[in-house]
Amino acid sequence: MPIAMNILKSCTVFELGPNSCSRALNKRGNHKHLYGVLCAGSQGQFPLTQNVTVIEGETATLTCRVDQNDNTSLQWSNPAQQTLYFDDKKALRDNRIELLRASWHELTIRVTDVSLSDEGQYTCSLFTMPVKTSKAFLTVLGVPETPQISGFTSPVMEGERMELTCKTSGSKPAADIRWFKNDKEVKDVKYVKEEDANRKTFTVSSTMNFRADRSDDGAVVSCRVDHESLNSTPQIAMQVLEIHYIPSVKIIPSTSWPEEGQSITLICESKGKPLPDPVLWTKDGGELPDPERMVVNGRELNINFLNKTDNGTYRCEAENTIGQNSAEYVLIIHDVSNILLPTTVIPSLTTATVTTTVALTSTVPSATAIDTRDPNALAGQTGPDHALIGGIVAVVVFVTLCSIILLGRYLARHKGTYLTNEAKGAEDAPDADTAIINAEGSQVNAEEKKEYFI
């Protein structure tokens, strides 16, 4: 000790414990005495460190810096206060601990393959008088194991309760588990956290309980584990659901207004798991009455040349290993839609010219014009050809009869007026000569042409 005092008069030399490392200033016998140097000129400096977080199995780097240092020693020690490095001298025999940089202003070491036991508070010491220290906490993250989904049996019958459990171990801190069904998060779940035997990591589990429905068949249920050690890449376990259920049946007609003479197709749409067997078609509780016109093609029933005897209730039955289901369709055949074409109005107009030489004439009343109104055309689908022909024949016969009746009435009225005019003017004359004279004034009128309109 006196030798050290003579060499470093401006510094204070002190003896360190066996777990520290410093500059060896003296050796006596078989005992090794280690001495540290405290220099008063560095009292204004302070070591700077930072906390470090590392994933288990990776590498942690610990750095201690001093901005201004006049050759004062730096030292790193672990949570057990064991010296790791004193300046560039390694003190602890641990092959995982390496020196990166050593100078008067910085001491940086590296710990590879970090384990959970390495977690704790590390100390950087600057050997001034008094000694100044800075703490750096090393946090080691435990990586959760790949999650596993349990409780699933395949297949599951519709209506049964399902309880799925997702479990993962080894996380530190405890991991978070979330459930999804077809990318939609399920909120109603139960979460359990347990501490592992090492009292450092955790085992977490989450349980999802729901009733199986046919809409869940083929759905993807996923369990996602989130943890800060996973670097935003969660661990996911998935399970595809297989739900068995009885068939659902629906009948779809090809037309909603079937008419006589037409055809119709009834489609039996059935869904189930397992896939239903070929469907069975019946009419009014029995077999199809006319197999020649009623043809079954897979799940379709084709009925040709419809008539009123086809009216009734048609039933489609589908069955699988889970159960049987059916649907019904009431078929009503409508009459053919008759279309009355619009008829052209044919006015009956007769012009008659009469020339007479009799003494007296009179004006014949004009015949009344007959106008036949068009019946309104009925909207509907075009019927067969014989219906159209029958309608046209009926119109022609009706027009012909009307023309004959009007012509007969006209001829009858004209004849009566002519006979009456022959005697007009002579009935008041006292004798024949006077009658002739009275009739002479009417000769001009006798030559006039009269027109009669019907």
Side-chain angles (χ1 to χ4, degrees):
M1 183 69 70
I3 298 176
M5 294 300 297
N6 291 331
I7 296 175
L8 302 174
K9 296 182 180 179
S10 61
C11 299
T12 301
V13 180
F14 64 96
E15 185 175 2
L16 301 177
N19 293 330
S20 298
C21 179
S22 65
R23 295 171 181 171
L25 299 181
N26 189 18
K27 294 183 180 179
R28 293 181 180 178
N30 295 328
H31 300 282
K32 185 177 181 180
H33 297 270
L34 301 179
Y35 300 90
V37 181
L38 300 180
C39 301
S42 301
Q43 292 182 359
Q45 295 304 308
F46 198 86
L48 300 177
T49 58
Q50 288 184 336
N51 294 334
V52 177
T53 299
V54 66
I55 299 174
E56 184 181 11
E58 295 187 356
T59 300
T61 300
L62 301 174
T63 300
C64 180
R65 290 188 176 92
V66 179
D67 292 338
Q68 297 178 2
N69 188 7
D70 50 359
N71 300 336
T72 304
S73 298
L74 291 172
Q75 172 187 282
W76 270 113
S77 58
N78 63 13
Q81 295 304 310
Q82 295 173 322
T83 300
L84 304 178
Y85 268 89
F86 186 87
D87 287 340
D88 58 351
K89 303 298 187 297
K90 186 175 183 179
L92 187 65
R93 292 183 179 179
D94 190 337
N95 294 331
R96 299 180 303 120
I97 303 175
E98 302 174 353
L99 177 67
L100 292 182
R101 286 178 296 275
S103 67
W104 300 116
H105 300 285
E106 179 181 348
L107 180 60
T108 301
I109 63 174
R110 177 172 60 192
V111 183
T112 59
D113 193 18
V114 175
S115 63
L116 295 175
S117 60
D118 293 325
E119 184 176 84
Q121 186 170 266
Y122 288 73
T123 305
C124 175
S125 302
L126 176 63
F127 285 93
T128 60
M129 190 175 59
V131 176
K132 296 179 180 178
T133 61
S134 179
K135 307 294 184 180
F137 197 91
L138 177 61
T139 301
V140 181
L141 301 178
V143 181
E145 297 176 357
T146 303
Q148 300 291 333
I149 297 178
S150 60
F152 178 77
T153 58
S154 182
V156 178
M157 301 299 111
E158 183 179 27
E160 292 183 357
R161 300 293 301 184
M162 294 187 65
E163 185 174 284
L164 303 181
T165 300
C166 179
K167 186 176 182 180
T168 180
S169 303
S171 60
K172 177 184 172 297
D176 184 33
I177 297 180
R178 300 166 66 187
W179 284 97
F180 292 85
K181 183 190 292 185
N182 284 342
D183 297 328
K184 184 178 180 181
E185 185 172 1
V186 179
K187 296 292 187 180
D188 188 15
V189 296
K190 182 181 178 181
Y191 181 84
V192 177
K193 178 179 69 175
E194 298 177 350
E195 191 176 52
D196 294 336
N198 59 16
R199 306 186 64 84
K200 294 181 179 294
T201 58
F202 294 89
T203 295
V204 294
S205 61
S206 179
T207 302
M208 178 175 64
N209 194 305
F210 63 97
R211 187 177 298 277
D213 185 78
R214 63 183 60 193
S215 61
D216 295 327
D217 182 52
V220 178
V221 175
S222 58
C223 159
R224 191 173 83 178
V225 176
D226 294 312
H227 193 264
E228 53 187 306
S229 66
L230 300 177
N231 296 325
S232 303
T233 305
Q235 293 182 343
I236 300 177
M238 294 185 298
Q239 182 68 60
V240 179
L241 302 182
E242 183 180 2
I243 311 298
H244 283 192
Y245 53 94
I246 64 173
S248 60
V249 184
K250 181 172 63 174
I251 297 178
I252 304 175
S254 60
T255 177
S256 59
W257 188 266
E259 296 182 353
E260 284 190 283
Q262 294 182 346
S263 299
I264 189 174
T265 300
L266 302 180
I267 303 173
C268 183
E269 186 180 88
S270 60
K271 297 180 181 179
K273 194 164 186 179
L275 189 67
D277 297 330
V279 298
L280 175 65
W281 285 98
T282 59
K283 178 178 184 289
D284 296 330
E287 297 182 354
L288 299 177
D290 193 346
E292 294 184 358
R293 290 189 306 109
M294 302 177 178
V295 180
V296 177
N297 184 15
R299 301 180 183 277
E300 297 181 358
L301 172 61
N302 300 309
I303 306 177
N304 302 315
F305 306 107
L306 293 172
N307 56 62
K308 293 297 181 67
T309 62
D310 296 327
N311 289 341
T313 301
Y314 291 80
R315 183 185 182 92
C316 170
E317 297 181 0
E319 183 177 4
N320 62 8
T321 57
I322 308 302
Q324 181 266 343
N325 205 349
S326 63
E328 294 182 347
Y329 177 79
V330 178
L331 178 62
I332 300 177
I333 308 303
H334 301 273
D335 295 330
V336 176
S337 299
N338 294 324
I339 300 179
L340 182 60
L341 299 178
T343 57
T344 303
V345 177
I346 305 176
S348 178
L349 177 62
T350 303
T351 302
T353 301
V354 180
T355 302
T356 182
T357 57
V358 297
L360 299 177
T361 62
S362 63
T363 303
V364 179
S366 61
T368 304
I370 305 300
D371 184 11
T372 303
R373 292 183 178 270
D374 295 337
N376 294 328
L378 297 177
Q381 300 179 352
T382 304
D385 292 341
H386 66 269
L388 178 61
I389 294 173
I392 294 175
V393 171
V395 172
V396 173
V397 171
F398 176 75
V399 172
T400 302
L401 291 176
C402 290
S403 299
I404 294 174
I405 294 173
L406 292 175
L407 183 60
R409 291 185 62 186
Y410 164 74
L411 293 176
R413 288 184 181 182
H414 176 70
K415 181 177 180 181
T417 304
Y418 181 80
L419 295 175
T420 302
N421 288 338
E422 290 180 349
K424 189 175 181 179
E427 56 186 359
D428 295 331
D431 51 28
D433 295 333
T434 304
I436 293 173
I437 295 171
N438 292 338
E440 291 178 353
S442 302
Q443 292 298 321
V444 177
N445 295 330
E447 298 295 332
E448 293 179 355
K449 296 179 180 181
K450 302 297 182 177
E451 292 183 354
Y452 301 90
F453 297 88
I454 298 177

